[in-house]
Amino acid sequence: QKEVEQDPGPLSVPEGAIVSLNCTYSNSAFQYFMWYRQYSRKGPELLMYTYSSGNKEDGRFTAQVDKSSKYISLFIRDSQPSDSATYLCAIGTSGNRKLIWGLGTSLAVNP
Amino acid sequence: EAGVAQSPRYKIIEKRQSVAFWCNPISGHATLYWYQQILGQGPKLLIQFQNNGVVDDSQLPKDRFSAERLKGVDSTLKIQPAKLEDSAVYLCASSPWTGGAGETQYFGPGTRLLVL
């Protein structure tokens, strides 16, 4: 079993839709949960960061961590064409410097 | 604040040739990372430096890949000789402090390598 599983998609939605992106993980020791966004031909950039469990909201973006299910989610409300990108989950622990990266989910928001 | 700079942006070489990539991290950032990202996959950490010391190079294919970070600032990643499977985007990232898993990493635009 991989440490992090992420459906690569692609996911195509109409403008204004609510998007749900997800990752599952296997190690209950993970504490840091991040979502990076990567536009085509660019490097990833941090979008959302959550420590331990719970929800975090930033504008149209909400990150959720369910440690009991080992499941993390990123919700995008009122999706825009500018949200078209690949979304990578990345998780880690304080005991290991290395982040574990998902494959990334490719999202296309159609006007 | 200037971002992470990488050069070249694109490189095409034939197998068995050598290639080098350069990275200039954000000023003052102590930790520097090199990642390999194959199309359709997440980044794979090749090597992590804290200042000019190596923290993690467990996934670096040391028979052909080498990296250095002189004076704890710029870094160079070299492949010698290249194989077809080295075709990928090579990403450089930096973070401000010790490079713990909870630190934000700031990425450069990457170097796209195609090995023919």
Side-chain angles (χ1 to χ4, degrees), chain A residues 8 32 34 36 38 40-46 49 88 91-94 96-99 101-104, chain B residues 9-10 35 37 40-43 45 50 55-56 58-59 91 98-99 101-105 107-109 112:
Chain A
Y32 303 104
M34 302 173 182
Y36 279 78
Q38 186 173 23
S40 179
R41 301 186 183 278
K42 301 284 188 183
E45 58 176 343
L46 182 65
Y49 169 91
L88 296 147
I91 59 177
T93 70
S94 59
N96 187 340
R97 294 172 182 266
K98 189 164 60 182
L99 281 178
W101 293 81
L103 292 178
Chain B
R9 293 295 311 275
Y10 304 92
Y35 287 92
Q37 187 175 27
Q41 297 184 21
L45 180 68
Q50 184 177 344
V55 172
D56 185 347
S58 58
Q59 298 191 96
L91 294 164
T98 60
E103 280 188 39
T104 300
Q105 297 184 23
F107 285 82
R112 292 181 169 271

Side-chain angles (χ1 to χ4, degrees), chain A residues 10-21 37-39 47 60-61 74-87 105-111:
Chain A
L11 187 61
S12 181
V13 301
E15 184 175 353
I18 296 173
V19 177
S20 172
L21 304 167
R37 178 175 61 193
Q38 186 173 23
Y39 289 115
L47 185 62
R60 297 184 294 110
F61 299 90
L74 177 70
F75 296 97
I76 308 174
R77 290 183 300 281
D78 187 25
S79 56
Q80 302 295 309
S82 57
D83 296 327
S84 298
T86 296
Y87 291 81
T105 300
S106 175
L107 171 67
V109 181
N110 305 303

Side-chain angles (χ1 to χ4, degrees), chain B residues 2-116:
Chain B
V4 176
Q6 289 188 248
S7 67
R9 293 295 311 275
Y10 304 92
K11 192 73 178 178
I12 301 174
I13 62 172
E14 294 188 352
K15 60 183 179 182
R16 292 187 289 274
Q17 284 187 324
S18 301
V19 64
F21 312 127
W22 173 82
C23 173
N24 181 234
I26 292 174
S27 178
H29 279 197
T31 301
L32 186 147
Y33 314 77
W34 281 104
Y35 287 92
Q36 179 192 60
Q37 187 175 27
I38 293 173
L39 186 65
Q41 297 184 21
K44 171 189 170 184
L45 180 68
L46 294 176
I47 190 166
Q48 178 178 341
F49 294 94
Q50 184 177 344
N51 296 311
N52 58 351
V54 175
V55 172
D56 185 347
D57 64 357
S58 58
Q59 298 191 96
L60 186 73
K62 299 181 185 64
D63 58 335
R64 298 185 302 107
F65 286 64
S66 64
E68 60 182 7
R69 188 183 185 196
L70 298 175
K71 300 181 181 178
V73 182
D74 292 6
S75 178
T76 303
L77 177 69
K78 296 179 181 178
I79 308 175
Q80 181 179 7
K83 293 184 175 181
L84 297 177
E85 58 261 36
D86 298 331
S87 295
V89 176
Y90 291 84
L91 294 164
C92 179
S94 67
S95 63
W97 302 294
T98 60
E103 280 188 39
T104 300
Q105 297 184 23
Y106 298 85
F107 285 82
T111 296
R112 292 181 169 271
L113 174 67
L114 178 60
V115 182
L116 301 175

